């Protein structure tokens, strides 16, 4: 079964569509489709934002699922700094873990370690553990920042 | 307090996709609507999503170059733009053929890369209005006048008045007289804001006579050694100036009689009629030549047009002037790939090379270049690569002299890569440092794309 999302670029008059299977599509996958459909990959140095078509609120979380038959507005903006556009992430990277999402114990955010009453050795060990946890988290982030060596379409 | 707003949709700290917005007292003027030559399709557009084009009252196009005019049909047909569009007569005449060709070329590459169709181009064409040089048009409280900018046939600077504030937009301009164009004029009235190009930053050009001598010497010696000369040019604009130089040189050198000079552009052939028609808009030099000889200087004696490479037998030394100027594809790229391996051949780059194009890459003299058809195939590059700029943009001395004559209080730099633009800004600031913190202080801005620039003007007299 084929489903549709309607979109238009903010400056455009006409609607375009993206087709997919299922009841919804993630923001990440929709951005990727929009980039490919419009051949935006000849210059990925831009930021792509999707907005709710009725409220103009941005979809901040790449993992949000947009139900089929919705319509959204796409907005192509300049990068914060030249060469810092993030659009390439949607072609090679993974969805970003949304940092602003509420993190309960099950989401895996490391709880602050209580160091009182530990021996010197235990403190050092704890510090190492925390560092490697941070490093893992950092690595995950880095993996989404892979430099993109694109060739022209 | 009323604020003047400048907002750059493209061409801010870059060369390409020029498009700027100026706003004052609820009036909005858009300046230029170009594409970026290094990219295709939507990726080549200015950041139109960042501004409501439905609010634009007037859109002024400075000249026909693709980086200033090629997204106009997109703006007029695909967005909610409802304003009026103006350009000079020669710009409009050439624009038609040029964009026709642009649509055709982008369609060959890939249909889905097309920003607009031939129909969009036709539908929008009739709604473009023309303005004569030195005439003033007033629309709903916005007054604008076109002045000669040099650079290419039909190129204009616009002097704009919105509710008492005066702005001069240079577009691309030149201040050195060449064979066919006048230099950019200094408007009689002092503007509050000058929006000027910064392509060459603080660089200095060689005098024209020296450049021409260097060019003809290089061509002559390559041919004498049995080599071929390739000159990639943008089909229209500077190409016509180069052809005037070559035609004259050939008429003065009998030993070159048997060596052919080709002009490989169907588009240029079509547009020569426009050049022949608008001789009265060129400089005194060429008008005099026309009067004296009663022969059109754009009917070349020694230069032959070739429609495509299949009709070109490449058995002996020759000179080919071919488009596109940045070697992205087409005839110039095909000849580059064919001639690159032979060290006797010479490539002469005469235009401005934009970041990200083969033109920019080849200036670094790589030992190999990728084939355009199949980027995995590498072609050895042994041909000589030379750069002699005939780009017809001002250098530092010409730009700063022009700024001095125009005498604005506020300068906004556009159309330049970050580094040259930054150097130009520093040079201007130090030139005007003596006025710092006085009422005569000169402000210089180099905004990035979509970075808001707000300037407050006190005591502006509102025109009744
Ligand atoms: Zn130009």
């Amino acid at each position: 079964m084929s489903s549709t999302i309607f979109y238009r670029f903010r400056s455009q008059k006409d609607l375009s569509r993206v087709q997919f299977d299922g009841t919804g599509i993630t923001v990440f996958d929709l951005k990727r489709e929009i980039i490919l459909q419009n051949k935006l990959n000849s210059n990925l140095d831009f930021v792509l934002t999707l907005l709710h078509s009725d409220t103009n609120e941005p979809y901040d979380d790449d993992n949000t699922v947009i139900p089929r038959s919705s319509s959204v507005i796409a907005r192509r903006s300049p990068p914060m700094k030249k060469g810092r556009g993030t659009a390439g992430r949607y072609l090679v990277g993974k969805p970003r873990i949304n940092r602003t999402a509420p993190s309960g114990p099950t989401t895996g955010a490391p709880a602050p370690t209580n160091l009182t009453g530990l021996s010197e050795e235990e403190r050092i060990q704890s510090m190492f553990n925390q560092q490697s946890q941070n490093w893992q988290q950092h690595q995950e982030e880095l993996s989404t920042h892979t430099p993109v060596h694109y060739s022209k379409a | 307090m009323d604020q003047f707003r400048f907002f750059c949709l493209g061409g801010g700290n870059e060369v390409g996709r020029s498009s700027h917005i100026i706003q004052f007292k609820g009036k909005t003027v858009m300046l230029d609507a170009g594409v970026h030559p290094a990219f295709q399709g939507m990726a080549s557009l200015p950041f139109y999503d960042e501004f409501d084009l439905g609010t634009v009252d007037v859109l002024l196009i400075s000249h026909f170059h693709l980086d200033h005019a090629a997204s106009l049909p997109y703006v007029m047909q695909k967005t909610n733009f409802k304003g009026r569009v103006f350009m000079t007569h020669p710009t409009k005449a050439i624009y038609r053929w040029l964009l026709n060709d642009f649509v055709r070329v982008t369609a060959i590459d890939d249909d889905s890369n097309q920003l607009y169709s031939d129909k969009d181009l036709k539908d929008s064409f009739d709604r473009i209005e023309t303005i004569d040089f030195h005439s003033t048009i007033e629309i709903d409280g916005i007054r604008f006048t076109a002045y000669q900018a040099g650079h290419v046939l039909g190129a204009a600077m616009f002097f704009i008045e919105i509710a008492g504030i005066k702005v001069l937009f240079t577009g691309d301009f030149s201040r050195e007289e060449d064979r066919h164009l006048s230099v950019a004029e200094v408007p009689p009235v002092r503007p509050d804001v000058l929006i000027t190009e910064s392509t060459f930053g603080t660089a200095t050009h060689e005098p024209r006579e020296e450049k021409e001598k260097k060019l003809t010497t290089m061509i002559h010696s390559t041919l004498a050694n049995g080599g071929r000369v390739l000159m990639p040019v943008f089909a229209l604009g500077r190409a016509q100036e180069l052809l005037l130089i070559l035609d004259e040189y050939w008429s003065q050198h009998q030993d070159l009689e048997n060596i052919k000079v080709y002009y490989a552009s169907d588009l240029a052939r079509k547009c020569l009629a426009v050049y022949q028609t608008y001789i009265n808009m060129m400089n005194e030099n060429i008008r005099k030549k026309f009067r004296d000889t009663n022969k059109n200087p754009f009917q070349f004696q020694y230069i032959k047009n070739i429609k495509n490479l299949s009709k070109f037998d490449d058995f002996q030394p020759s000179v080919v002037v071919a488009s596109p100027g940045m070697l992205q594809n087409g005839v110039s790229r095909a000849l580059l790939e064919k001639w690159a391996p032979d060290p006797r051949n010479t490539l002469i780059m005469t235009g401005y090379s934009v970041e990200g194009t083969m033109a920019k890459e080849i200036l670094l003299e790589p030992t190999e270049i990728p084939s355009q058809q199949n980027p995995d195939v590498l072609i050895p590059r042994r041909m000589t690569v030379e750069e002699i700029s005939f780009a017809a943009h001002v250098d530092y001395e010409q730009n700063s002299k022009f700024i001095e004559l125009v005498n604005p209080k506020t300068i906004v730099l556009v159309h330049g890569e970050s580094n040259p633009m930054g150097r130009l800004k520093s040079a201007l600031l130090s030139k005007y440092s003596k006025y710092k913190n006085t009422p005569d202080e000169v402000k210089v801005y180099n905004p990035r794309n979509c970075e808001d620039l707000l300037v407050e003007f006190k005591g502006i007299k509102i025109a009744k």
Side-chain angles (χ1 to χ4, degrees):
Chain A
M1 185 191 66
S2 179
S3 308
T4 305
I5 295 270
F6 300 93
Y7 74 92
R8 66 173 178 88
F9 278 90
R10 194 161 168 259
S11 59
Q12 283 177 340
K13 280 189 298 202
D14 300 328
L15 284 177
S16 308
R17 57 180 74 201
V18 163
Q19 272 167 339
F20 60 97
D21 289 323
T23 56
I25 185 169
T26 62
V27 168
F28 186 90
D29 288 339
L30 181 56
K31 284 188 182 180
R32 180 191 165 88
E33 285 305 314
I34 291 174
I35 290 170
L36 292 173
Q37 209 172 75
N38 293 282
K39 297 278 164 75
L40 282 168
N41 49 341
S42 80
N43 176 15
L44 286 166
D45 198 16
F46 67 96
V47 174
L48 182 65
T49 320
L50 298 182
L51 313 168
H52 285 266
S53 63
D54 41 356
T55 62
N56 266 333
E57 287 290 314
Y59 289 93
D60 300 316
D61 186 347
D62 285 344
N63 295 303
T64 301
V65 175
I66 303 176
R68 66 178 177 214
S69 307
S70 307
S71 50
V72 301
I73 295 168
R75 180 174 184 165
R76 180 175 147 263
S77 316
M80 290 303 291
K81 211 174 163 212
K82 203 176 178 187
R84 299 277 170 81
T86 53
R89 198 157 60 81
Y90 297 97
L91 297 186
V92 295
K94 295 181 227 150
R96 178 169 30 207
I97 289 137
N98 189 9
R99 314 274 223 95
T100 56
S103 53
T106 48
T107 59
T113 320
N114 185 358
L115 297 180
T116 47
L118 297 179
S119 71
E120 184 71 22
E121 217 172 312
E122 284 168 323
R123 277 172 195 240
I124 292 169
Q125 192 51 50
S126 158
M127 188 184 75
F128 274 126
N129 287 346
Q130 197 140 31
Q131 265 180 351
S132 69
Q133 251 177 354
N134 286 346
W135 172 238
Q136 256 178 1
Q137 212 178 19
H138 186 59
Q139 268 186 320
E140 261 170 49
E141 253 172 67
L142 282 180
S143 73
T144 68
H145 288 212
T146 323
V148 191
H149 301 284
Y150 53 89
S151 57
K152 74 181 188 90
Chain B
M1 176 59 67
D2 288 304
Q3 286 184 316
F4 169 80
R5 182 183 185 214
F6 176 86
F7 192 70
C8 206
L9 296 170
N13 277 266
E14 65 180 351
V15 176
R17 57 175 162 191
S18 284
S19 189
H20 323 294
I21 297 286
I22 55 175
Q23 282 181 307
F24 191 64
K25 294 231 178 216
K27 304 282 179 199
T28 304
V29 177
M30 183 169 168
L31 306 166
D32 284 345
V35 298
H36 198 300
F39 310 117
Q40 295 89 45
M42 291 225 4
S44 67
L45 289 178
F47 291 102
Y48 289 139
D49 290 339
E50 295 293 296
F51 191 81
D52 181 1
L53 296 178
T55 64
V56 174
D57 298 301
V58 174
L59 166 49
L60 306 174
I61 301 288
S62 63
H63 64 293
F64 59 68
H65 275 155
L66 294 178
D67 56 331
H68 296 262
S71 62
L72 180 59
Y74 178 89
V75 169
M76 292 178 77
Q77 300 300 112
K78 305 286 186 188
T79 75
N80 63 349
F81 172 86
K82 308 183 274 289
R84 290 170 68 178
V85 181
F86 290 86
M87 53 178 74
T88 65
H89 295 272
T91 300
K92 190 176 174 185
I94 291 175
Y95 169 91
R96 184 192 197 119
W97 295 110
L98 189 64
L99 266 66
N100 217 297
D101 186 72
F102 179 71
V103 170
R104 198 179 50 81
V105 169
T106 47
I108 291 169
D109 267 11
D110 182 348
D111 228 20
S112 60
N113 261 350
Q114 274 194 291
L115 288 170
Y116 46 84
S117 65
D118 233 16
K119 187 177 180 303
D120 293 322
L121 181 55
K122 284 196 191 82
D123 291 349
S124 60
F125 188 76
D126 292 336
R127 282 165 36 222
I128 298 172
E129 300 169 73
T130 52
I131 178 171
D132 290 319
F133 283 112
H134 307 121
S135 75
T136 300
I137 290 178
E138 176 155 5
I139 293 165
D140 229 6
I142 301 166
R143 282 159 62 93
F144 53 95
T145 311
Y147 291 98
Q148 294 265 13
H151 188 60
V152 292
L153 176 61
M157 295 190 168
F158 288 106
F159 191 93
I160 306 143
E161 285 175 78
I162 313 174
I165 210 166
K166 302 180 190 73
V167 181
L168 178 66
F169 173 55
T170 65
D172 290 356
F173 75 108
S174 56
R175 287 280 288 171
E176 187 176 51
E177 184 150 281
D178 61 18
R179 258 150 231 265
H180 75 295
L181 292 172
S182 314
V183 301
E185 302 168 278
V186 176
V189 181
R190 178 187 188 189
D192 300 291
V193 181
L194 171 70
I195 302 165
T196 184
E197 65 142 299
S198 43
T199 317
F200 283 103
T202 51
T204 308
H205 293 332
E206 273 177 277
R208 187 171 65 94
E209 295 74 18
E210 278 171 43
K211 284 191 301 197
E212 287 188 13
K213 188 153 189 300
K214 207 163 138 188
L215 177 78
T216 48
T217 308
M218 197 175 290
I219 291 172
H220 211 142
S221 68
T222 300
L223 296 170
N225 287 330
R228 281 114 171 111
V229 179
L230 173 61
M231 295 168 65
V233 292
F234 189 72
L236 293 157
R238 302 313 300 156
Q240 282 64 31
E241 174 73 10
L242 291 168
L243 295 177
L244 289 171
I245 296 172
L246 293 178
D247 206 46
E248 185 188 279
Y249 191 77
W250 252 247
S251 74
Q252 293 162 350
H253 292 79
Q254 294 234 305
D255 57 317
L256 292 172
E257 211 174 23
N258 294 319
I259 292 178
K260 299 257 177 12
V261 186
Y262 294 107
Y263 191 16
S265 168
D266 198 33
L267 175 62
R269 188 184 53 78
K270 282 181 194 151
C271 289
L272 273 184
V274 181
Y275 273 77
Q276 290 161 3
T277 311
Y278 287 104
I279 289 216
N280 63 327
M281 289 201 183
M282 299 177 196
N283 63 21
E284 181 49 30
N285 230 341
I286 199 149
R287 278 182 291 169
K288 184 171 184 305
K289 202 171 161 187
F290 187 35
R291 283 198 305 268
D292 291 354
T293 62
N294 208 16
K295 235 184 61 207
N296 201 301
F298 291 97
Q299 262 155 12
F300 301 112
Q301 289 223 303
Y302 299 90
I303 297 162
K304 299 206 160 33
N305 187 267
I306 37 169
K307 270 196 164 176
N308 57 57
L309 286 181
S310 62
K311 296 203 175 66
F312 170 57
D313 41 67
D314 185 19
F315 298 122
Q316 52 184 3
S318 61
V319 179
V320 180
V321 178
S323 60
M326 300 201 204
L327 297 160
Q328 304 97 310
N329 46 37
V331 177
S332 62
R333 179 62 171 265
L335 280 178
L336 170 72
E337 296 184 10
K338 187 161 186 247
W339 291 352
D342 189 339
R344 290 176 302 173
N345 299 338
T346 304
L347 172 73
I348 307 177
M349 303 299 295
T350 55
Y352 179 81
S353 305
V354 169
E355 284 305 332
T357 60
M358 171 52 79
K360 191 83 184 177
E361 205 177 305
I362 198 94
L363 290 175
L364 303 171
E365 303 186 37
T367 53
E368 289 170 321
I369 52 168
S371 147
Q372 198 242 331
Q373 297 292 325
N374 180 0
D376 295 332
V377 175
L378 293 173
I379 298 157
R381 194 279 315 163
R382 296 188 203 94
M383 84 191 295
T384 307
V385 178
E386 291 288 348
E387 187 181 22
I388 308 173
S389 173
F390 282 85
H393 293 275
V394 284
D395 67 1
Y396 175 68
E397 208 183 290
Q398 293 157 351
N399 207 354
S400 75
K401 182 74 195 165
F402 180 78
I403 293 171
E404 208 175 293
L405 294 169
V406 168
N407 191 20
K409 297 166 191 145
T410 300
I411 301 166
V412 181
L413 303 178
V414 295
H415 197 283
E417 298 294 339
S418 291
N419 291 335
M421 185 186 280
R423 282 195 287 270
L424 178 59
K425 181 183 177 180
S426 311
L428 291 173
L429 284 175
S430 76
K431 180 176 172 177
Y432 293 111
S433 60
K434 56 186 174 229
Y435 301 125
K436 203 164 189 300
N437 299 321
T438 73
D440 296 323
E441 177 162 3
V442 178
K443 301 255 200 218
V444 185
Y445 300 96
N446 56 339
R448 293 183 298 130
N449 286 334
C450 303
E451 188 179 62
D452 242 328
L453 171 61
L454 298 170
V455 187
E456 291 194 359
F457 285 98
K458 292 181 189 114
I460 292 288
K461 288 193 201 79
I462 306 297
K464 293 272 152 56

